[in-house]
């Protein structure tokens, strides 16, 4: 009997090539291709007055230099606005090469093609661009002030203004027995995959076709964009995603300017052309996320139940809005977490600044939303003198209330309806795991040793597996080997393993016989992409459905061959057999032979399918009218709406009384993503997410100066954590299946990162005894907050005032 | 537009001087002609076709490009190819044995799910392989310290630290296995 693969911690198929250096990432391809470097703007906001390339022209190895004026056809038009929205009244996108005005440091102005990257950079250095400076708009305050404009035709720098309301929140707050207002601030970070972006294009003149390799999260998206921009028929463009060295969101944006320019130049030059992003380019010309200012007004009863919640968000979207307003929409809807506020109003303005664009980074607006909500929960608990976990529990949506309709519209344009989840059970598990109820004993012990510790908690709900669809194709070869394809791409999530597990179980074949291809438009042309924790849910289910079709066909054909009712057959280890009589059996490979009537035999197996080889009924056509040759199947999964995963994290921190150094002593995670396809992979996703959550809370920020210069645009200065900074992560799972899809699964990719800033703010606040309202927080900032607190500028928490002996004196 | 055709031929001006170099890479003598400024990482990847060594930052911070130079971990983006002359270089392609048996650290990474996207992995593997030669039985803290100079964005390092410890176990088991037949022979004699 085949062991069940779904749910097993199967080691990954991918690793065999990746641990031996046999993977192929973008820059590993295209030996001999011309290479591209860009002259990028050193100024945040300026008008280009002249570009002089003369001095570059005799650079050894130079092939071509392109300015905006050289671009032709649709390549000269602004890049597409990928996700239009009625509230995005002033959407603006960049040109592939700057036209007249640059709006952030790093915007591409000149494209240089040379025989290698060294020489391309030599030429870039010899090109002189002159500028007339325009006033830079940096920071949300400056943007909201509207004194200077990022785009001359966008008044007040407001790209979008959106309000969603359920009930009358201001009235509910006014009538509530208790009221609070919080001002919160969360700064920018970025995806920062270890491999930057990169594109390789090969034009085949004889075939009039374009092949593009790109380090993307959506090969079908890039294909459609390249076809449109280069005005090629879709069937003349193929896009292949090689191994991708991490994405975390930044590679879902498409087409990046380089994804248009590189194929365009490859066609023009009749030669392979490649661009590989370097680290500085990634800092200043890809994308960032997170930056928001939030004002929260809340009214609540004496149990801490929220009666009305009114949130205003100022969101920094950077210089352009190619990805629309997905991030602030997610913040404003997912802010609600596992709670049901009596009335809710959320108002966001998405603002232009002269900085790098803002597009989804793992979590995609949720970390900010959860920060707002969880800071509010802590503030309510403190105000009432109640346990922070109890206040959360008082606001939970209960299991019997599922599915729960919030009455809002989610990022997919569908109603925000939670499908399942058991929040009280999650909280119980978390409290046990971290030892919530015993923490005061630990605090007292630590205090006796002169140590300062605190505990924090954060809860979230995450809409995963958003539509519109993904597809899967499953094909059994005559050898019995199974080829599986899905269109979305992989950046380290182990899809080749997880999807093979699904097919092994659904079809009844050995796991080792299944090979999976992702992100290759030659193999599967219909797909959306890998984002929003959707790959397992979308492609996993599509592939399961496709495998079921293949199984059905295999049973039918085998039934005819064995003279048995398909209902009496089963497929085990790649062999179709009669359930009660295992001697009556036929291998799937032979079924594949029978499924494809042949005229020509090319090997022993195929002889049986030729016209004189079998004993087919001569009165019927070899392929029935409603049938197709081949043992293969294709199907799609398109959900009515997202499925909502959830989780709760707790952390214990220690803050040094002298140096204000912050150490995470424990980090505990309860995670519910429904059934687990592969626990090894799911836990790996949680680990990586938590590390990014801790990073965003304690280390990483984009340090822009007032002129729009990114001061820390290198790994030397941007503090991405090493193993020495990331705490051990303790995980426990709850498995509340989704009723929405055949496999009962929910997405897991982003979960770990979401409550990081909220949990650590909660824990640091608990250690310090005064409110923490701004993240990330580094020791120097905590040190200054302590001074302000000591000077009376920051009032203590209420619980410090009521039990001062339990907290440190500042 | 300013195409300068025909493209790749030399213009005569500013031609870069090329230096012949000899390196022993993964036990094989390799030669190349490189400009003085060519980084060892680029030479390995683009001149010698060993693309398993990856470049993550080109300023020596991330460690993805770590190779072993005479058995010691070295960031190949901080070394010129010409200064690798006559040195013994080991890249990720050279970690497995000639018969295809994976190095203990390669097996441990797979077993412990110590990699996700795999881009930083070759650097970690080289660091750990060299580390275990010096410290065959590390504690968890020593294991964590050993990898604390390399960046990974996917794993949160949890399973990388586990993999260091597991690799140490596998490595010792291997040595016992390799010693075993010898001991048997001795007994037989």
């Amino acid at each position: 009997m085949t062991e069940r693969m779904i749910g097993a911690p199967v080691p990954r198929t991918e690793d065999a090539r990746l641990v031996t250096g046999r993977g192929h990432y973008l820059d590993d391809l295209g030996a001999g291709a011309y290479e591209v470097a860009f002259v990028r703007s050193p100024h945040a906001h300026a008008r280009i007055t002249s570009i002089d390339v003369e001095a570059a022209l005799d650079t050894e190895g130079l092939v071509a230099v392109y300015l905006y004026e050289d671009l032709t056809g649709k390549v000269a038009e602004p890049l597409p606005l990928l996700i239009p929205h009625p509230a995005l009244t002033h959407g603006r996108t960049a040109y592939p090469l700057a036209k007249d005005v640059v709006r952030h440091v790093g915007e591409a102005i000149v494209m240089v093609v040379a025989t290698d990257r060294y020489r391309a950079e030599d030429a870039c250095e010899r090109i002189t661009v002159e500028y007339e400076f325009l006033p830079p708009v940096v920071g949300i305050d400056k943007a909201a002030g509207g004194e200077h404009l990022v785009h001359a035709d966008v008044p007040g720098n407001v790209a979008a203004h959106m309000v969603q309301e359920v009930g009358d929140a201001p009235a509910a707050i006014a009538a509530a027995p208790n009221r609070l207002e919080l001002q919160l601030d969360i700064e920018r970070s970025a995806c920062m995959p270890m491999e930057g972006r990169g594109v390789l294009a090969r034009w085949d003149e004889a075939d009039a076709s374009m092949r593009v390799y790109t380090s993307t999260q959506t090969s079908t998206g890039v294909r459609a964009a390249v076809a449109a921009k280069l005005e090629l028929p879709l069937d003349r463009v193929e896009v292949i995603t090689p191994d991708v060295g991490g994405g975390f969101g930044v590679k879902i944006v498409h087409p990046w300017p380089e994804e248009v320019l590189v194929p365009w130049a490859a066609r023009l030059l009749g030669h392979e052309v490649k661009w590989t992003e370097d680290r500085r380019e990634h800092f200043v010309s890809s994308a960032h996320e997170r930056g928001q200012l939030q004002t929260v007004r809340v009214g609540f009863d004496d149990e801490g139940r929220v009666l009305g919640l009114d949130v205003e968000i100022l969101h920094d979207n950077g210089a352009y809005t190619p990805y629309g307003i997905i991030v602030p929409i997610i913040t404003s809807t997912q802010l609600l977490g596992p709670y049901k506020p009596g009335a809710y109003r959320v108002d966001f303005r998405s603002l232009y600044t002269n900085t790098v664009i803002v597009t989804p980074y793992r979590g995609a607006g949720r970390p900010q939303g959860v920060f707002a909500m969880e800071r509010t929960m802590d503030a309510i608990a403190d105000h009432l003198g109640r346990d922070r976990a109890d206040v959360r529990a008082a606001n939970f949506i209960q299991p019997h209330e599922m599915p729960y309709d919030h009455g809002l519209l989610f990022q997919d344009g569908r109603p925000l309806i939670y499908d399942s989840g058991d929040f009280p059970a999650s909280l119980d598990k978390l409290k046990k795991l971290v030892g919530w109820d015993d923490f005061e004993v630990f605090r007292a012990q630590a205090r006796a040793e002169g140590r300062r510790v605190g505990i924090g908690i954060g809860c979230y709900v995450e809409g995963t597996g958003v539509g519109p669809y993904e597809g899967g194709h499953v094909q059994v070869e005559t050898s019995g080997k199974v080829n599986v394809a899905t269109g979305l791409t992989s950046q380290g999530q182990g899809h080749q393993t997880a999807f093979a597990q699904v097919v092994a179980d659904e079809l009844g074949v050995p796991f080792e016989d299944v090979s999976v291809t992702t992100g290759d438009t030659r193999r599967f042309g219909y797909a959306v992409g890998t984002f929003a924790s959707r790959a397992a849910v979308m492609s996993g289910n599509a592939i399961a459905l496709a495998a079921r079709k293949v199984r059905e066909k295999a049973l039918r054909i085998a039934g005819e061959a064995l003279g048995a009712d398909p209902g009496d057959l089963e497929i085990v280890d790649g062999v179709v057999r009669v359930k009660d009589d295992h001697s009556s059996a036929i291998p799937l490979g032979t079924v594949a032979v029978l499924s494809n009537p042949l005229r020509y035999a090319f090997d022993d197996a195929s002889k049986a399918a030729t016209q004189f080889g079998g004993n087919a009924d001569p009165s019927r056509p070899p392929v029935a009218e409603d049938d197709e040759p081949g043992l293969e199947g294709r199907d799609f999964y398109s959900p009515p709406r997202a499925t909502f995963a959830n989780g709760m994290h707790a952390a214990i921190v220690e803050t040094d009384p002298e140096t204000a150094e912050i150490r995470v002593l424990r980090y505990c995670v309860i995670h519910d993503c429904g059934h687990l396809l592969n626990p090894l992979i799911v836990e790996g996703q949680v680990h990586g997410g938590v590390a990014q959550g801790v990073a965003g809370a304690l280390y990483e920020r984009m340090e822009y100066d007032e002129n729009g210069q990114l001061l820390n645009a290198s790994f030397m200065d941007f503090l991405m954590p090493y193993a020495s900074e990331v705490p051990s992560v303790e995980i426990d799972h709850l498995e509340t299946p989704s009723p929405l899809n055949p496999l009962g699964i929910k997405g897991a990719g982003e979960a770990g990162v979401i409550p990081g800033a909220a949990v650590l703010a909660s824990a640091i606040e608990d250690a310090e005894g005064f409110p923490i309202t701004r993240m990330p927080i580094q020791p120097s900032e905590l040190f200054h907050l302590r001074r302000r607190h000591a000077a009376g500028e920051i009032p203590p928490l209420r619980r410090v005032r009521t039990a001062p002996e339990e907290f440190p004196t500042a | 537009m300013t195409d300068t055709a025909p493209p790749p031929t030399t213009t005569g001006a500013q031609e870069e001087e090329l230096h012949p170099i000899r390196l022993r890479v993964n036990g094989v003598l390799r030669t190349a002609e490189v400009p003085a400024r060519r980084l060892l990482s680029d030479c390995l990847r683009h001149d010698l076709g060993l693309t398993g060594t990856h470049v993550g930052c080109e300023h020596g911070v991330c460690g993805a490009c770590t190779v072993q130079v005479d058995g010691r971990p070295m960031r190949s983006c901080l070394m010129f190819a010409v200064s690798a002359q006559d040195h013994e270089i080991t890249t990720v392609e050279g970690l497995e044995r000639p018969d295809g048996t994976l190095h203990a650290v390669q097996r441990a990474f797979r077993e412990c799910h110590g990699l996700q996207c795999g881009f930083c992995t070759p650097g970690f593997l080289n660091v750990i392989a060299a580390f275990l030669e010096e410290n065959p039985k590390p504690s968890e803290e020593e294991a964590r310290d050993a990898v604390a100079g390399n960046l990974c964005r996917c794993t949160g390092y949890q399973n990388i630290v586990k993999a260091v410890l597991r690799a140490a176990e596998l490595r010792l088991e291997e040595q016992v296995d390799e010693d075993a037949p010898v001991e048997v022979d001795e007994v037989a004699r």
Side-chain angles (χ1 to χ4, degrees):
Chain A
M1 193 61 206
T2 311
E3 240 176 87
R4 192 169 156 78
M5 297 301 290
I6 293 179
V10 182
R12 303 193 322 166
T13 313
E14 291 84 345
D15 296 354
R17 68 173 187 277
L18 299 181
V19 298
T20 52
R22 293 194 184 90
H24 285 97
Y25 300 84
L26 195 280
D27 190 50
D28 304 343
L29 308 170
Y34 290 158
E35 294 206 66
V36 171
F38 290 92
V39 175
R40 296 182 182 274
S41 175
H43 304 296
H45 198 190
R47 183 174 301 282
I48 299 167
T49 55
S50 75
I51 302 175
D52 184 355
V53 303
E54 200 59 38
L57 295 182
D58 64 351
T59 306
E60 188 188 355
L62 181 70
V63 175
V65 179
Y66 302 111
L67 315 182
Y68 172 78
E69 288 75 26
D70 300 318
L71 304 182
T72 52
K74 295 197 161 139
V75 176
E77 294 176 4
L79 294 164
L81 200 165
L82 286 172
I83 312 179
H85 189 284
L88 181 56
T89 51
H90 293 76
R92 296 291 181 273
T93 60
Y95 291 90
L97 292 173
K99 182 188 182 204
D100 306 328
V101 176
V102 285
R103 293 190 178 82
H104 66 85
V105 170
E107 192 165 349
I109 299 171
V110 183
M111 178 192 196
V112 172
V113 186
T115 50
D116 76 17
R117 177 68 179 249
Y118 290 70
R119 288 159 171 172
E121 292 192 14
D122 288 345
C124 285
E125 281 183 7
R126 294 168 189 164
I127 292 170
T128 310
V129 184
E130 289 184 352
Y131 304 89
E132 172 195 327
F133 301 124
L134 299 169
V137 180
V138 181
I140 292 175
D141 288 334
K142 283 268 176 61
E147 188 192 344
H148 299 296
L149 299 179
V150 176
H151 298 271
D153 58 349
V154 179
N157 294 313
V158 180
H161 181 209
M162 186 172 175
V163 180
Q164 290 207 68
E165 264 182 303
V166 184
D168 186 345
I173 295 166
N178 308 285
R179 288 182 291 277
L180 284 170
E181 179 172 325
L182 289 82
Q183 299 287 343
L184 303 169
D185 181 340
I186 195 156
E187 287 194 38
R188 279 189 179 202
S189 184
C191 301
M192 217 45 73
M194 295 306 300
E195 181 207 31
R197 299 180 290 118
V199 194
L200 167 68
R202 183 189 303 157
W203 171 250
D204 184 331
E205 184 66 37
D207 192 47
S209 67
M210 178 70 73
R211 178 181 291 184
V212 178
Y213 294 85
T214 177
S215 186
T216 185
Q217 292 176 226
T218 170
S219 50
T220 47
V222 174
R223 180 195 196 195
V226 168
K229 284 290 181 186
L230 300 192
E231 297 173 77
L232 289 167
L234 197 61
D235 80 335
R236 298 288 91 185
V237 180
E238 49 196 32
V239 174
I240 300 162
T241 311
D243 284 317
V244 173
F248 312 111
V250 62
K251 295 176 184 176
I252 190 61
V253 179
H254 66 282
W256 283 99
E258 299 86 355
E259 284 173 328
V260 175
L261 293 169
V262 169
W264 174 79
R267 182 172 64 177
L268 211 55
L269 296 168
H271 196 284
E272 271 191 291
V273 177
K274 178 165 79 170
W275 170 72
T276 307
E277 186 180 57
D278 70 24
R279 189 51 57 185
R280 181 170 164 79
E281 286 183 296
H282 191 75
F283 273 99
V284 299
S285 59
S286 282
H288 302 163
E289 210 230 280
R290 305 282 196 251
Q292 287 183 354
L293 294 179
Q294 304 162 333
T295 303
V296 180
R297 293 181 197 88
V298 63
F300 49 98
D301 68 16
D302 294 338
E303 308 293 310
R305 273 187 291 263
V306 174
L307 304 172
L309 181 68
D310 189 351
V311 182
E312 284 175 25
I313 299 166
L314 296 178
H315 172 81
D316 175 358
N317 61 226
Y320 303 102
T321 49
Y323 211 73
I325 48 173
I326 286 298
V327 172
I329 291 177
I330 295 176
T331 303
S332 55
T333 47
Q334 297 262 267
L335 183 147
L336 294 171
Y339 314 116
K340 42 177 181 183
Y344 178 52
R345 176 180 177 278
V346 60
D347 172 322
F348 76 74
R349 280 188 291 156
S350 188
L351 302 167
Y352 287 108
T353 57
N354 288 116
T355 58
V356 176
I357 61 169
V358 166
T359 66
Y361 160 34
R362 196 180 205 168
R366 293 177 188 86
Q368 302 94 307
V370 170
F371 184 67
M373 193 66 180
E374 295 298 298
R375 293 284 67 218
T376 304
M377 285 292 161
D378 276 5
I380 292 170
D382 190 60
H383 183 85
L384 296 173
R386 301 185 78 90
D387 179 81
R388 288 171 288 165
D390 290 350
V391 166
R392 285 169 170 83
N395 283 286
F396 280 160
I397 296 161
Q398 298 300 314
H400 70 265
E401 294 175 283
M402 296 289 178
Y404 187 85
D405 187 347
H406 274 290
L408 299 168
L409 274 190
F410 190 43
Q411 63 143 323
D412 55 359
R414 303 287 171 120
L416 182 70
I417 301 174
Y418 294 174
D419 50 332
S420 64
D422 187 340
F423 307 135
S426 287
L427 183 63
D428 279 349
K429 267 182 177 273
L430 182 70
K431 285 170 72 173
K432 284 199 186 82
L433 182 62
V434 75
W436 181 266
D437 292 332
D438 303 326
F439 182 74
E440 291 311 322
V441 177
F442 177 67
R443 195 204 300 273
Q445 283 167 357
R447 193 183 311 115
E449 297 162 11
R451 297 164 60 200
R452 197 181 285 193
V453 296
I455 191 168
I457 182 173
C459 310
Y460 69 91
V461 168
E462 181 198 0
T464 71
V466 297
Y469 71 85
E470 288 297 334
H473 179 250
V474 176
Q475 176 193 41
V476 182
E477 291 204 47
T478 54
S479 62
K481 300 281 186 197
V482 183
N483 302 322
V484 179
T486 187
L488 57 63
T489 63
S490 303
Q491 306 89 42
Q493 300 93 335
H495 295 151
Q496 290 182 335
T497 308
F499 296 156
Q501 289 175 260
V502 170
V503 171
D505 279 3
E506 292 288 346
L507 196 53
V509 294
F511 171 77
E512 300 72 33
D513 285 351
V514 185
S515 62
V516 177
T517 302
T518 60
D520 183 339
T521 63
R522 296 173 302 180
R523 292 290 309 282
F524 207 93
Y526 287 93
V528 185
T530 301
F531 58 93
S533 303
R534 69 191 294 281
V537 178
M538 302 304 300
S539 282
N541 280 294
I543 288 168
L545 294 172
R548 287 175 194 183
K549 275 192 173 170
V550 175
R551 181 187 166 83
E552 194 182 324
K553 182 167 184 177
L555 294 183
R556 173 167 57 76
I557 295 169
E560 286 165 14
L562 298 172
D565 185 327
D568 295 333
L569 300 176
E570 61 182 3
I571 309 177
V572 176
D573 272 339
V575 176
V576 191
R577 66 189 188 193
V578 176
K579 284 176 194 165
D580 303 333
D581 174 13
H582 294 182
S583 66
S584 184
I586 178 171
L588 264 186
T590 310
V591 177
V593 171
L594 298 177
S595 74
N596 182 20
L598 294 173
R599 184 168 180 84
Y600 310 113
F602 47 85
D603 59 14
D604 281 346
S606 54
K607 276 185 204 162
T610 54
Q611 60 266 51
F612 304 111
N615 49 359
D617 180 350
S619 68
R620 292 196 302 175
V623 178
E625 271 181 29
D626 58 348
D627 203 359
E628 290 177 1
L631 185 52
E632 59 186 296
R634 173 196 295 261
D635 210 339
F636 291 85
Y637 173 63
S638 181
R641 56 183 187 272
T643 172
F644 288 81
N646 70 85
M648 301 185 186
H649 295 193
I652 297 176
V653 302
E654 177 167 359
T655 56
D656 189 296
E658 303 295 329
T659 65
E661 188 190 348
I662 302 157
R663 275 206 307 146
V664 182
L665 303 182
R666 287 185 68 200
Y667 199 102
C668 298
V669 173
I670 301 298
H671 182 239
D672 186 351
C673 64
H675 293 313
L676 306 179
L677 289 185
N678 183 327
L680 205 60
I681 292 175
V682 171
E683 293 205 349
Q685 290 291 317
V686 173
H687 290 157
V690 167
Q692 285 176 317
V694 171
L698 302 181
Y699 301 102
E700 296 172 0
R701 60 157 47 112
M702 293 295 169
E703 299 268 10
Y704 274 105
D705 72 7
E706 74 273 17
N707 298 313
Q709 294 294 337
L710 185 58
L711 302 178
N712 60 342
S714 84
F715 277 165
M716 203 79 85
D717 304 303
F718 177 80
L719 302 179
M720 219 159 100
Y722 289 96
S724 39
E725 281 78 46
V726 179
S728 287
V729 183
E730 303 164 51
I731 306 176
D732 195 2
H733 295 279
L734 196 70
E735 295 190 39
T736 314
S738 171
L740 295 181
N741 62 67
L743 297 173
I745 58 177
K746 302 177 175 187
E750 296 168 276
V753 75
I754 294 172
V759 172
L760 290 169
S762 176
I764 295 166
E765 170 174 299
D766 187 51
E768 294 292 317
F770 55 80
I772 301 294
T773 58
R774 184 185 164 118
M775 292 299 262
I777 185 165
Q778 291 172 352
S780 56
E781 283 148 320
L782 180 56
F783 186 80
H784 288 295
L785 288 178
R786 282 177 179 175
R787 287 195 156 176
R788 290 180 54 205
H789 174 56
E793 291 171 36
I794 301 175
L797 295 174
R798 267 202 187 192
R799 56 185 184 267
V800 178
R801 277 174 270 164
T802 52
E805 71 285 355
E806 290 189 9
F807 286 87
T809 48
Chain B
M1 189 169 78
T2 30
D3 274 357
T4 56
T9 50
T10 53
T11 59
Q14 308 160 351
E15 205 165 329
E16 255 183 309
E17 193 186 341
L18 298 179
H19 304 271
I21 53 169
R22 292 156 53 92
L23 328 167
R24 188 167 287 277
V25 184
N26 303 327
V28 178
L29 183 69
R30 303 290 302 263
T31 58
E33 293 217 323
V34 295
R37 63 176 173 170
R38 193 140 182 94
L39 301 176
L40 177 58
S41 50
D42 286 334
C43 175
L44 291 169
R45 292 174 46 73
H46 302 306
D47 299 329
L48 304 183
L50 294 169
T51 54
T53 298
H54 300 147
V55 176
C57 72
E58 285 183 294
H59 50 265
V61 184
C62 78
C65 68
T66 305
V67 298
Q68 295 177 65
V69 178
D70 303 326
R72 298 178 50 139
M74 186 77 78
R75 288 169 194 220
S76 60
C77 77
L78 290 187
M79 192 167 166
F80 290 119
V82 289
S83 43
Q85 168 85 17
D86 292 335
H87 286 286
E88 179 93 29
I89 314 284
T90 305
T91 68
V92 65
E93 289 93 342
L95 286 178
E96 62 193 289
R97 293 185 194 169
D99 70 355
T101 311
L102 295 185
H103 189 287
V105 70
Q106 292 173 308
R107 283 188 284 144
F109 262 63
R110 175 152 197 262
E111 209 179 289
C112 300
H113 188 32
L115 66 153
Q116 289 180 27
C117 81
F119 194 80
C120 70
T121 310
F124 275 96
L125 296 176
N126 275 302
V127 164
I128 297 163
F131 168 70
L132 292 177
E133 292 297 323
E134 297 203 341
N135 185 350
K137 289 183 187 172
S139 67
E140 181 172 343
E141 203 186 330
E142 289 167 337
R144 192 173 275 273
D145 273 358
V147 296
N150 286 50
L151 287 172
C152 168
R153 195 58 161 168
C154 293
T155 64
Y157 308 103
Q158 309 290 312
N159 292 340
I160 292 179
V161 174
K162 270 186 216 162
V164 177
L165 298 171
R166 180 66 184 138
E169 282 175 12
L170 289 171
R171 194 172 158 278
L172 292 176
E173 282 170 21
E174 264 172 17
Q175 288 175 351
V176 171
D177 289 348
E178 277 167 16
D179 292 346
V182 179
E183 284 164 20
V184 169
D185 282 350
E186 278 167 1
V187 170
R189 271 186 224 126

